[in-house]
Each structure stands twice: as structure tokens, then as C-alpha cells.
């Protein structure tokens, strides 16, 4: 039988030695929205309905100036997507590409990637919540590192081409 996961219970499950700056936001049409940071990455644990799931949500926003060159160039865009595919395939839950207005889009118009994992009350526990929070943050960091590495590689190629 499903149980109600209160804000207090959910907060108590967050490991304070791993997550920082836990703040509760209300008034956004949810039962509760816990904002937190893990390794300086912003995450949310959201409960929309009393008997509904916990949603662990992270949004990995690309620095548009840095990634614009990658996304505008078809070859580099394809390389970025190829490098991100294994990261996204291993992400907990699902992901959605968002444009600069926050609407779902195809990869060429990507501005950010929304990651979401759901924990249903009958399977929720401290272990499940922390595994989801840590896996989501790890995916966010991998996305950032992948884009940065490809951007640095592109800068190095351009530099090498200009010195030849």
C-alpha cells in the first residue's frame, strides 16, 4: 500500500553530509518543492500531489555562447550528441531537450537538458532518494564535462589550424 511522503520525512532522508542548502519552496502548485545543492549543482525534490511520486529534477543549462558554435555546426553538433548519448542513456529516469524558452525541442535547438527521476511512495526510502539525487547530479556533471571537453577540443583545433 502506498504511503504519504511528507516534506519532513523527505527532508530527513536527505543526507546532510552530501547535500547542502536545502530550502523549501511553496506556492508553486506543488505540495512541496525542496531545492538543494550537491557539489554546487542545483536540484529539486518535488512532490506535486499527496499520494504522488517524488520527482528528483535537475536542469543542465548550456552556456549558450560556449555551446552555440558546437550546436550550429552540423559536424560538431553530431559529435556532441554522440558523446552525450552514453551519458544520457545511463541517466536515471528520463531526459528532455529544452529550448531557450523551456519548451521541449529537437537537439539542434537545445538550450538545456531536463533530467527527471520518479520515486513512488511504495518504493521510496532514504537509499532510493539519495541514489536518485546522486545519480541525477552525476549525470548533470557528466553533461557539463562532456560539453566543456568538446568545446576545448574545438578551440584547440581552431588554434592548431591557425598556426599551420
Amino acid at each position: 500500500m502506498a504511503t504519504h511522503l511528507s516534506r519532513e520525512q523527505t527532508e530527513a532522508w536527505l543526507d546532510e553530509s552530501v547535500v547542502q542548502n536545502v530550502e523549501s519552496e511553496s506556492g508553486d502548485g506543488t505540495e512541496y518543492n525542496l531545492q538543494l545543492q550537491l557539489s554546487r549543482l542545483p536540484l529539486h525534490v518535488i512532490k506535486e500531489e499527496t499520494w504522488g511520486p517524488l520527482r528528483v529534477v535537475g536542469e543542465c543549462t548550456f552556456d549558450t555562447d560556449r555551446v552555440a558554435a558546437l550546436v550550429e555546426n552540423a559536424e560538431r553538433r553530431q559529435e556532441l550528441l554522440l558523446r552525450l548519448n552514453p551519458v544520457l542513456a545511463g541517466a536515471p529516469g528520463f531526459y528532455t531537450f529544452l529550448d531557450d524558452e523551456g519548451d521541449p525541442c529537437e537537439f539542434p535547438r537545445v538550450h538545456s537538458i531536463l533530467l527527471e527521476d520518479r520515486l513512488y511512495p511504495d518504493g521510496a526510502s532514504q537509499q532510493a532518494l539519495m541514489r536518485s539525487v546522486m545519480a541525477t547530479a552525476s549525470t548533470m556533471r557528466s553533461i557539463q564535462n562532456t560539453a566543456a571537453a568538446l568545446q576545448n577540443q574545438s578551440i584547440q583545433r581552431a588554434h592548431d589550424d591557425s598556426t599551420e
Side-chain angles (χ1 to χ4, degrees), residues 22 25 60 73 78 81 87 89 91 105-106 118 150 152 156:
V22 177
E25 182 179 287
C60 191
N73 179 290
Q78 185 63 28
L81 185 57
V87 173
C105 68
E106 297 295 320
R118 291 179 176 229
L150 188 55
N152 289 340
Q156 185 62 43

Side-chain angles (χ1 to χ4, degrees), residues 2 4-5 7-8 31-32 38-39 44 49 56 75-76 86-87 92-93 102 112-113 131-132 139 145 153 164:
H4 168 61
L5 299 171
R7 180 184 58 80
E8 293 79 13
E31 187 167 322
Y32 57 88
L38 191 151
S39 187
H44 295 262
E49 302 171 2
V56 177
E75 183 180 321
R76 290 185 180 150
V87 173
S112 63
I113 301 174
R131 182 181 304 127
S132 179
T139 301
N145 290 344
Q153 185 179 42
E164 290 179 358

Side-chain angles (χ1 to χ4, degrees), residues 14-89:
L14 293 171
D15 184 343
E16 293 176 2
S17 67
V18 177
V19 299
Q20 301 84 36
N21 304 325
V22 177
E23 295 181 13
S24 182
E25 182 179 287
S26 60
D28 58 359
T30 63
E31 187 167 322
Y32 57 88
N33 179 349
L34 301 176
Q35 298 177 354
L36 56 103
Q37 288 188 334
L38 191 151
S39 187
R40 296 188 328 236
L41 295 169
L43 295 160
H44 295 262
V45 177
I46 302 168
K47 180 84 175 290
E48 292 175 341
E49 302 171 2
T50 301
W51 302 103
L54 292 176
R55 295 174 51 228
V56 177
V57 178
E59 186 171 348
C60 191
T61 303
F62 292 118
D63 174 64
T64 55
D65 292 336
R66 291 180 63 198
V67 179
L70 296 176
V71 176
E72 288 174 6
N73 179 290
E75 183 180 321
R76 290 185 180 150
R77 179 175 58 239
Q78 185 63 28
E79 187 175 354
L80 177 61
L81 185 57
L82 285 172
R83 288 186 185 201
L84 286 177
N85 272 337
V87 173
L88 295 171

